Each structure stands twice: as C-alpha cells, then as structure tokens.
Amino acid sequence: KAGVTQTPRYLIKTRGQQVTLSCSPISGHRSVSWYQQTPGQGLQFLFEYFSETQRNKGNFPGRFSGRQFSNSRSEMNVSTLELGDSALYLCASSPSVDSYNEQFFGPGTRLTVL
Amino acid sequence: AQSVTQLDSQVPVFEEAPVELRCNYSSSVSVYLFWYVQYPNQGLQLLLKYLSGSTLVKGINGFEAEFNKSQTSFHLRKPSVHISDTAEYFCAVSPIPPVGGRRALTFGSGTRLQVQP
C-alpha cells in the first residue's frame, strides 16, 4: 500500500505570496492532519480534516487554511507569506479520528520564504 | 493544555551501548503517549504508544518505553543501539477524549540520538 504523499517536496516563495500544499493520504484513510515543523517552535498542530470537515484546529492565524476533498486528499493554503512561515509542513493520515488509530506521516513539504 | 519536555536535546552514544531518552509531560487530563522517530529528510514514524494497560510498552526496532503516572514520565529505552538508530526522536501526548474522536498531538522539542562507532 502506498504511503502518504506530499507535493511538492520543496518550494521557494517570496514574502507576500501565497502557497498551496497537497497531501494524498493512504488509500482508505479518511482523516488528514497537518503539522508545521520549525527549529524554533518544533512540531505544531495546524488542523485536522475528516470527511471533508475540519474537526480540530491549532493556534495559527487565519492566513493558514485547509480543505479536504471527497477522495480524502487535502490541501493547505498559506496566504500573505511571512519569513517565519519557512518550515517543514507534515501531513498525517489515519483511518478515522479515533485516538487509538496510528497517524501515518508523509515526508513533508519544505517551504522556504525569501 | 498539555506540554511535553524532552530533557536532552542531543544524546551521543556508542554503538551497542544502552540508551534512554527522557520525556516528561504535564496535563490536567489523562493522556495517550507516543514516541516517534524522524530520519533525515523523512516524515515521522511511530515507534510505540501507550493507550492503557501494561505500563511497559514495546515498540519497533527493539525500543521500549515505560509509563510512570506518578512521575508523569514516558522514557524511551533500547538495550543496544545501532548506527542506523541515529535520528531525531519525539515524545508526544494527546488528551484522552471524553467520547471518542481524537485530540491533536502535542510534541516535545525532540532529542537527537547520535550513535557513534
């Protein structure tokens, strides 16, 4: 079974631009979560989607948004990019939103904002 | 709210030596506990998790962890490390939801394990 796929793997943008990152979960998984990883703040939860509905949201500004499609693929969007948005963005999928289900992480998208 | 403290940012160890990576957490509610490993340029991989039951949990690659509720700790151990264990290790917690569903993971800052020959 193919793992979680994230595209693109690397991205360079300039301040003020917007960016869209994509995540394809493991086949059959309906929950997708997004995390931001930076050297300073570590791993922080952004949001989780299940069946096209946002189930949970972290403490990030409204510039960060996401959505999930009927095939469970998810996108996250960051508008008006700031230098501090440079990070590794990780996506994780899970069969359901039950806590005991393992979340499987993708390799991440490394975003650099210049 | 929850917080996770990984006391050591880096742990150098020689191959075949034992290792312990420390994790302490703070939470006003009961939590599930996890250890993840991240190899260079890769995502996170679950090593083991504690949901309930026996406080000694065995995971993949020979790792184990012990949940100590009174000390709010969940230290990760391996009796004999290999060069291939060189990676970053993250401890994480999530509150046990009252009626199903999942709560977000709160991660520690990570411990870089450096196994030397």
Side-chain angles (χ1 to χ4, degrees), chain A residues 9-10 31 33 35 37 43-45 48 55-56 88 90 94 96-108 110, chain B residues 32 34 36 38 41-47 49 51 88 90 94-97 100-109:
Chain A
R9 290 293 309 278
Y10 302 91
S31 162
S33 298
Y35 293 83
Q37 185 177 22
L43 279 153
Q44 294 184 285
F45 171 75
E48 177 176 18
R55 291 288 301 260
N56 208 350
L88 181 67
L90 293 166
S94 182
S96 72
V97 291
D98 292 313
S99 293
Y100 51 80
N101 281 153
E102 178 180 347
Q103 293 186 65
F104 293 84
F105 284 80
R110 185 164 296 281
Chain B
Y32 294 137
F34 307 82
Y36 285 87
Q38 186 175 34
N41 299 315
Q42 294 188 28
L44 302 174
Q45 181 183 9
L46 181 67
L47 277 176
K49 61 185 177 185
L51 302 182
E88 185 122 24
F90 293 92
S94 72
I96 298 174
R102 180 187 8 255
R103 299 297 179 264
L105 290 166
T106 298
F107 286 91
S109 54

Side-chain angles (χ1 to χ4, degrees), chain A residues 11-15 17-20 81 83 86 111-114:
Chain A
L11 205 49
I12 300 175
K13 291 285 187 179
T14 56
R15 278 184 300 174
Q17 287 187 310
Q18 76 165 20
V19 67
T20 299
L81 283 166
L83 295 179
S86 292
L111 171 65
T112 301
V113 182
L114 302 176

Side-chain angles (χ1 to χ4, degrees), chain A residues 35 43-45 56 99 103 105, chain B residues 1-6 23-36 46 48-51 67-68 72-75 90-97 102-109:
Chain A
Y35 293 83
L43 279 153
Q44 294 184 285
F45 171 75
N56 208 350
S99 293
Q103 293 186 65
F105 284 80
Chain B
Q2 293 72 45
S3 67
V4 179
T5 302
Q6 291 184 242
C23 172
N24 287 89
Y25 70 93
S26 172
S27 176
S28 56
V29 300
S30 296
V31 294
Y32 294 137
L33 299 118
F34 307 82
W35 274 99
Y36 285 87
L46 181 67
L48 48 79
K49 61 185 177 185
Y50 174 78
L51 302 182
F67 170 53
N68 187 318
T72 59
S73 68
F74 191 52
H75 301 331
F90 293 92
C91 181
V93 303
S94 72
I96 298 174
R102 180 187 8 255
R103 299 297 179 264
L105 290 166
T106 298
F107 286 91
S109 54

Side-chain angles (χ1 to χ4, degrees), chain A residues 22-60:
Chain A
S22 180
C23 171
S24 292
I26 292 171
S27 177
H29 286 193
R30 296 169 62 196
S31 162
V32 173
S33 298
W34 288 89
Y35 293 83
Q36 181 197 63
Q37 185 177 22
T38 60
Q41 300 297 317
L43 279 153
Q44 294 184 285
F45 171 75
L46 280 156
F47 25 66
E48 177 176 18
Y49 286 86
F50 179 76
S51 294
E52 302 177 66
T53 302
Q54 189 179 86
R55 291 288 301 260
N56 208 350
K57 189 177 190 304
N59 189 25
F60 278 80

